[in-house]
Amino acid sequence: MTIRLSTEDTDFEARFSAFLATKRETSQEVDAAVREIIARVREAGDAAVAEYTRRFDRFDPAQTGLRVERAEIEAAYEAVEADTLAALRLARERIEAHHRRQMPESRRYRDALGVELGWRWTPLAAVGLYVPGGLASYPSSVLMNAVPARVAGVERLAMAVPAPQGRLNPLVLVAADLAGVTEILRIGGAQAIAALAYGTQTIAPVDKIVGPGNAYVAAAKRQVFGQVGIDMIAGPSEVLVVADGDNDPDWIAADLLAQAEHDTAAQSILMTDDAAFADAVTAAVERQLKTLSRGEIAAASWRDFGAVILLRDLDEAPPLIDRIAPEHLELATQEAESLLERTRNAGAVFLGRHTPEVIGDYVGGSNHVLPTARSARFSSGLSVLDFLKRMSVLRLGPDELRVLGPAAVALAQAEGLEAHGRSVSIRLNL
Amino acid sequence: MTIRLSTEDTDFEARFSAFLATKRETSQEVDAAVREIIARVREAGDAAVAEYTRRFDRFDPAQTGLRVERAEIEAAYEAVEADTLAALRLARERIEAHHRRQMPESRRYRDALGVELGWRWTPLAAVGLYVPGGLASYPSSVLMNAVPARVAGVERLAMAVPAPQGRLNPLVLVAADLAGVTEILRIGGAQAIAALAYGTQTIAPVDKIVGPGNAYVAAAKRQVFGQVGIDMIAGPSEVLVVADGDNDPDWIAADLLAQAEHDTAAQSILMTDDAAFADAVTAAVERQLKTLSRGEIAAASWRDFGAVILLRDLDEAPPLIDRIAPEHLELATQEAESLLERTRNAGAVFLGRHTPEVIGDYVGGSNHVLPTARSARFSSGLSVLDFLKRMSVLRLGPDELRVLGPAAVALAQAEGLEAHGRSVSIRLNL
């Protein structure tokens, strides 16, 4: 049953804490299987990848080719409807324009002592992008992962996508091409992650792997972490809608259901100061559920993980928002800006009554790869920074070394690191 | 035996690849033990922490108190020598000044369509800082981890440090106090990581845990990742010194040994275009080794993992540097800036003949927590960014929604997400 809490309840704190502690992920025990797949791919390379592909995706990459050819991409363009293609192009343009503004600047400066300090941002050389097959094969996610990488300056962007029985979603191919993916590999699962991380005879290794996947892919990413970088392991999606009573209940219900239809483990939360409005929204949810093609999924999500939190006053919202730390936060209130000012934990914030979260999923320009499961307390959505790294730069001349050197020698001595001290003192004739 | 390679060797590529693949870490199998410790702390809280502390650190925190009191910190100040204290203060000031310049800016803008986009950086609320006990208990590392957190605006900064038989290093206490640590917990090991991640009756949970530690601490950090954020898991330290023949061989030998004395698994690499200079440096290394207090450690590191790479020309250096992706890179050459321009993978770069890496360990102002084990290919040193996260912000009015909405609906339809489409179309009366 959808949970209903009120800050007026005497046991609110206990119930809210219990609500926060609810686990939505069922972690499958796949570590051992994945460990074997990775070991086999490291050992046998392409042959192992081909074998797993025959077994899991039921086709022979030796016949179709491991790599998607240009002609297949051209054919995919033909297969996509004109308005969908136009929408993909618009999305790509907006994502690119926004992410260009995120580019950080390299910097060098000289401090008061004359010491030169600074940093230099450089792009990762090669990135692997995993795209799930089947239902969760979303072209929008291809854009969201690939465009920032290319904006950052990543030269090689290798996409791996499982092709059940050899077939690929044309929309995914088109999105990859629009986004500047430089090679598309018709492979999936832990074997694809292993191939990208360690390389094979025909696949060059990458420096980082991003993108969502099933339990096997997630476990493989965790296991290759260190050999390559990885992005966050994404959990089920969630939205927190903070709404006053002046909203149309049907609009807010639609927003809650847009999240719920993703997955039975998705979570939709309504927070409001108006009990009658909360009733109207829940009634609208029930009504809309009846006509949804993914109604069963959405109904299960709303029933098992949905929640309505009643506040005495919207001023109670910010500390509760921060504890929930939602992936998506809609502030559909009159004082959205003032609430935003007092909030610090959320992946992405959608302000006002005309910014449904779905705009951010597709064409807002901001990224839809966001921290889930309360990790917005300590992490951020995907950005160009995930495809850049920073070298720090230091330069002293003899004069600066004379000024700073003795303090370094003193600290080296205090830490018992004699050779550290000598590397400075030898230059000072100490 | 210290490896010697030359780009003139016909088998250079094979030997260089083998060199890159050398593993320096001996990964201990401690996962199961750590899993049990974490489970016990989650279950029994303070009692479990006290029990493990009695067992591993051989003192009873119930008697000394779990928290270090102000009087103990004041006493520590008395115990520290004046020039060490002055050096710590100088280091803190310089680290703070440099890291202030790293603070990123929040931003809001309106694009050509009138859509408002932007992002807002906010600090993490609470961070745990782990400081190892024993030999690796370095006050400089306390500054390097704690100062950026406070500069970022982290309010609660809880330090955990094991206290063998109840004793703490006064230098570490003083460094923590200077750096703005807000509470010091006399606990260590996996039990400290568990307490920080999940909280106990008397320890509030944090949002992220940073700082180095032994195999148990590293395994515990991996296991609590997700519940909290963690920094990178640091491997053994390494330096690559690129030097032309105009350097003093004794200076360069001292730099190689400063790295080697850290740990038998540390790695020091010399890259030069001058074979006679290489011989002079290796001779100087042998000479200096004889008089070092940590000579045995340094000798083992240099023997097992040290390397000399001879180049025909320094122009060969950049692609090799990028493949090594060293934690520390010294460019002790005439054309250091030009080499830097062509390099992209390194944690920190030290330019010219008067910037020994050791300055960066202590008083340069830049951070000494840097990516090891070739991870500079995809990650960066510690900075204020590790203690901030970014909320993305989007705002549309009715007009902007009318312009962008139909494309979002088209993409939702293409992805089979009907409720996504409805959350937009319901606002457009479509």
Side-chain angles (χ1 to χ4, degrees), chain B residues 339-391:
Chain B
L339 282 181
L340 174 64
E341 278 303 313
R342 287 173 285 161
T343 297
R344 53 199 243 178
N345 295 344
V349 189
F350 304 87
L351 293 167
R353 309 190 196 286
H354 292 86
T355 319
E357 180 275 325
V358 167
I359 291 294
D361 284 343
Y362 294 118
V363 290
S366 49
N367 208 291
H368 82 197
V369 180
L370 295 165
T372 58
R374 305 188 62 228
S375 62
R377 291 175 297 128
F378 55 80
S379 62
S380 313
L382 199 73
S383 78
V384 296
L385 294 180
D386 294 285
F387 301 103
L388 297 163
K389 65 253 170 5
R390 196 186 58 244
M391 294 191 280

Side-chain angles (χ1 to χ4, degrees), chain A residues 108 120 227 340 344 389, chain B residues 120 340 344 377 389:
Chain A
R108 283 284 278 280
R120 222 176 127 229
Q227 171 68 21
L340 173 64
R344 54 199 244 178
K389 63 257 172 359
Chain B
R120 224 177 125 224
L340 174 64
R344 53 199 243 178
R377 291 175 297 128
K389 65 253 170 5

